[in-house]
């Protein structure tokens, strides 16, 4: 089975997170988090995507505020951040439904596909054990070119 993930402690993030780390989930932060919850896990959004979706729903929040809020939600454990070297950053919900998944990322257009691999998790576990580390998470980001961008 998968090693336990730090994200499993979250029941309903909106309930549990009110005072997480002494920081409050303000209405604005909640709105951004709800956007991720509504589209469901397995979606990877950039700050620009979030900005665009909020504008469509008539929420005028500046891009700078969205960047700050996304970073904060990552710190609070609600979101998980993916670093794409050329396409910037993407954010996804920290989900207990699929805690240990990996990403195939197109470095040109940012298209992101998820995959699962017991080998990666196993490799992380072995490396951690060898060095006396306590494993929290093993994830792999694979940089690639999608069929459209090749
Ligand atoms: Zn993902
Ligand atoms: Zn592509």
């Amino acid at each position: 089975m998968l090693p336990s993930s730090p994200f499993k402690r979250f029941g309903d993030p909106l309930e549990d997170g009110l005072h997480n780390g002494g920081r409050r989930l303000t209405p604005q932060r909640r709105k951004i988090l709800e956007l991720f919850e509504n589209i469901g896990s397995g979606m990877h959004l950039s700050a620009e995507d979030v900005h665009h979706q909020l504008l469509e729903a008539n929420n005028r929040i500046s891009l700078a505020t969205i960047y700050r809020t996304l970073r904060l939600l990552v710190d609070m454990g609600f979101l998980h951040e993916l670093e794409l070297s050329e396409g910037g950053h993407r954010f996804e919900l920290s989900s207990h439904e699929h805690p240990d998944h990996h990403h195939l990322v197109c470095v040109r257009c940012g298209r992101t596909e998820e995959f699962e691999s017991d080998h990666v998790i196993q490799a992380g576990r072995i490396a951690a054990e060898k060095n006396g580390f306590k494993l929290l998470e093993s994830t792999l980001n694979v940089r690639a070119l999608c069929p459209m961008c090749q």
Side-chain angles (χ1 to χ4, degrees):
M1 268 314 288
L2 304 177
S4 69
S5 154
F7 304 130
K8 280 196 179 117
R9 65 195 148 92
F10 295 113
D12 178 355
L14 288 178
E15 294 280 308
D16 298 348
L18 279 172
H19 297 285
N20 196 333
R23 285 170 295 200
R24 286 188 62 82
L25 212 47
T26 61
Q28 206 168 58
R29 293 171 191 169
R30 182 180 283 256
K31 200 160 280 167
I32 290 178
L33 186 55
E34 272 171 359
L35 181 83
F36 280 91
E37 298 215 310
N38 290 339
I39 61 165
S41 57
M43 295 296 287
H44 310 83
L45 302 182
S46 65
E48 288 79 8
D49 293 334
V50 172
H51 190 227
H52 185 74
Q53 299 226 17
L54 287 174
L55 279 179
E56 287 204 328
N58 260 324
N59 289 303
R60 304 200 162 270
I61 303 180
S62 75
L63 192 55
T65 302
I66 288 170
Y67 270 115
R68 252 199 328 273
T69 306
L70 288 171
R71 204 42 52 72
L72 188 80
L73 290 171
V74 169
D75 281 351
M76 291 171 89
F78 294 121
L79 296 182
H80 189 246
E81 184 174 1
L82 279 173
E83 260 176 74
L84 324 181
S85 47
E86 286 145 72
H89 298 248
R90 298 274 166 139
F91 299 85
E92 68 179 331
L93 211 51
S94 291
S95 169
H96 44 273
E97 281 151 36
H98 62 180
D100 288 295
H101 66 273
H102 315 290
H103 297 100
L104 192 58
V105 180
C106 178
V107 297
R108 201 154 290 162
C109 71
R111 177 177 159 191
T112 304
E113 299 293 336
E114 299 189 335
F115 64 99
E116 289 185 19
S117 167
D118 289 338
H119 296 298
V120 173
I121 293 167
Q122 191 62 21
R125 183 181 311 167
I126 291 167
E129 269 168 20
K130 251 190 199 150
N131 293 285
F133 283 40
K134 183 180 182 307
L135 182 67
L136 296 176
E137 182 189 41
S138 293
T139 57
L140 182 67
N141 287 339
V142 179
R143 300 175 62 235
L145 285 171
C146 78
M148 296 290 290
C149 293
Q150 279 167 39

